[in-house]
Amino acid sequence: MEKRFIRTINDYFPYPIAANFKVLMTDECMDPGPLRLQYLLRTAEAIARFLGMVLLLECRRYIESDNEAQPPRALVADFASKLRKPSFGSWIHLAREGSRWLASEEADLVVPEMKNIFFDDRKKETPIKKAADKMVEIRNGLSHEKIRAFRASDFETLCSVVNEQLEIQLEGLEFLEDISLGYVTSIEVSKKRNAAPSFTHRIKELSGHSDDFEGSRTTFEDYRESDAVIIKYERHDAYLNMEPLLVFDAEAGKASDIFYFAGFSNPRKVSYLGCKHGGDFTSNTCSRSEEIEQETAQLLSLFNEETPS
């Protein structure tokens, strides 16, 4: 992989991916072995999770904009079970079936490239799709017992294979540098006589590997949701609200972090894990518990298996 592209991933890719990828570039992870394999797989899983979350919420956005839209059985089958304890394969499944449906519906997406991420216009599998399937196959074939029995040559071979598939995915996802992941902390309204109001958003920019999140002040002609992680796209003003699958919290975990949805025991107890060093928490212990639990219940209802097309 070219150094230029490595810098692009580290500096501009969404934080949940970049934070894991950055570790791969450290001295401790350079040599084939258990640690490098661990972070190769973690980065691959971060990609699968991010794609699954974005495409699932693109589906939600489309359904909410079109009362007649009904997600297909391939997407809603066992949906609650997949979210109850989401796995590497679950996120890939949701991403694949979500993109397939949105493409068939010719839906307008916040991130248009996501529509053909697994299948091209001729419905042929893309390199990303093939690499993702290979990653799931590798991950499902590993166990702690198997890894403990590995020799140095086994780690070298497997690290090489996983690294190759990871590079295929990352290079196919180069467009991610054009999206901006941000957390809207507050919105200030300005209104002058005989003029339309403007809305200045205070945003934490959640791109790149660093957790020293830069701030921005962006003015829009309308408002976005506050206290929410959103995806903006450089080429238009549309945005995607990532709740309840990605949340920012400064108090609930061990440290301020972006936390990703890690499952639920019931809609009133949703589990979250920090992308870097935030630890974990459950929704019933945080200040925004009611909002998170309501969003989760709505998501489960929206993809209810009883009403597919």
Side-chain angles (χ1 to χ4, degrees):
M1 188 180 293
E2 294 182 1
K3 289 185 178 180
R4 177 202 63 81
F5 188 49
I6 291 173
R7 288 194 296 270
T8 295
I9 297 169
N10 284 332
D11 294 340
Y12 298 109
F13 266 44
Y15 175 81
I17 296 173
N20 282 284
F21 179 80
K22 177 65 176 177
V23 181
L24 284 175
M25 300 297 109
T26 62
D27 179 64
E28 293 80 4
C29 273
M30 290 303 293
D31 298 322
L35 189 61
R36 181 164 182 78
L37 179 60
Q38 176 184 348
Y39 276 93
L40 282 167
L41 292 171
R42 278 193 184 184
T43 306
E45 188 162 1
I47 291 171
R49 185 186 307 117
F50 187 77
L51 295 180
M53 290 178 174
V54 171
L55 279 158
L56 180 59
L57 297 180
E58 288 272 23
C59 289
R60 178 181 69 180
R61 178 175 176 269
Y62 175 61
I63 294 169
E64 290 177 342
S65 70
D66 184 344
N67 291 332
E68 295 183 1
Q70 289 189 337
R73 182 168 297 280
L75 181 58
V76 301
D78 297 321
F79 181 78
S81 297
K82 289 183 175 67
L83 273 200
R84 191 174 299 278
K85 192 174 182 181
S87 64
F88 195 146
S90 297
W91 290 122
I92 291 295
H93 173 86
L94 293 172
R96 182 186 68 240
E97 297 306 325
S99 68
R100 196 202 305 262
W101 179 52
L102 292 168
S104 71
E105 294 282 306
E106 299 183 352
D108 291 327
L109 274 61
V110 173
V111 187
E113 289 88 346
M114 288 285 188
K115 195 182 298 183
N116 297 114
I117 202 167
F118 292 107
F119 302 95
D120 63 22
D121 290 334
R122 295 173 296 174
K123 299 183 179 180
K124 290 187 176 181
E125 293 184 349
T126 63
I128 290 178
K129 163 71 164 56
K130 293 175 182 177
D133 288 346
K134 182 67 175 177
M135 285 289 202
V136 172
E137 179 185 337
I138 291 171
R139 183 65 185 86
N140 289 344
L142 292 174
S143 64
H144 293 297
E145 291 75 18
K146 187 172 182 178
I147 292 175
R148 277 198 294 266
F150 272 13
R151 297 167 297 181
S153 60
D154 296 321
F155 280 113
E156 186 171 353
T157 299
L158 191 54
C159 284
S160 176
V161 172
V162 175
N163 188 76
E164 180 183 4
Q165 301 305 314
L166 183 62
E167 287 191 9
I168 290 171
Q169 287 189 299
L170 289 167
E171 288 168 0
L173 294 170
E174 190 170 5
F175 65 86
L176 289 181
E177 69 175 295
D178 293 329
I179 76 169
S180 176
L181 195 67
Y183 174 69
V184 181
T185 60
S186 65
I187 303 171
E188 300 170 2
V189 183
S190 177
K191 174 69 172 73
K192 296 182 179 180
R193 194 175 74 85
N194 296 329
S198 63
F199 302 85
T200 301
H201 294 61
R202 298 170 63 96
I203 299 175
K204 287 183 184 290
E205 299 294 344
L206 310 177
S207 296
H209 68 87
S210 175
D211 55 6
D212 291 325
F213 302 123
E214 296 180 359
S216 69
R217 303 292 183 267
T218 306
T219 300
F220 300 104
E221 294 180 356
D222 56 7
Y223 56 87
R224 279 71 174 139
E225 289 86 357
S226 59
D227 291 328
V229 174
I230 64 172
I231 282 180
K232 301 173 292 173
Y233 197 55
E234 286 190 357
R235 301 178 193 173
H236 52 66
D237 288 335
Y239 70 97
L240 185 68
N241 188 318
M242 294 300 293
E243 291 209 341
L245 303 184
L246 273 182
V247 300
F248 177 88
D249 203 294
E251 299 176 355
K254 292 193 301 184
S256 174
D257 203 351
I258 303 176
F259 294 83
Y260 62 83
F261 186 101
F264 67 96
S265 55
N266 62 68
R268 292 179 296 281
K269 191 172 183 181
V270 183
S271 299
Y272 287 92
L273 291 174
C275 289
K276 196 169 187 179
H277 51 214
D280 58 28
F281 72 90
T282 53
S283 60
N284 61 330
T285 65
C286 76
S287 60
R288 295 184 58 241
S289 59
E290 186 175 346
E291 296 170 52
I292 289 173
E293 291 156 8
Q294 183 180 39
E295 288 282 5
T296 302
Q298 289 176 348
L299 193 66
L300 291 169
S301 175
L302 205 60
F303 294 92
N304 190 318
E305 190 174 356
E306 294 180 3
T307 57
S309 61

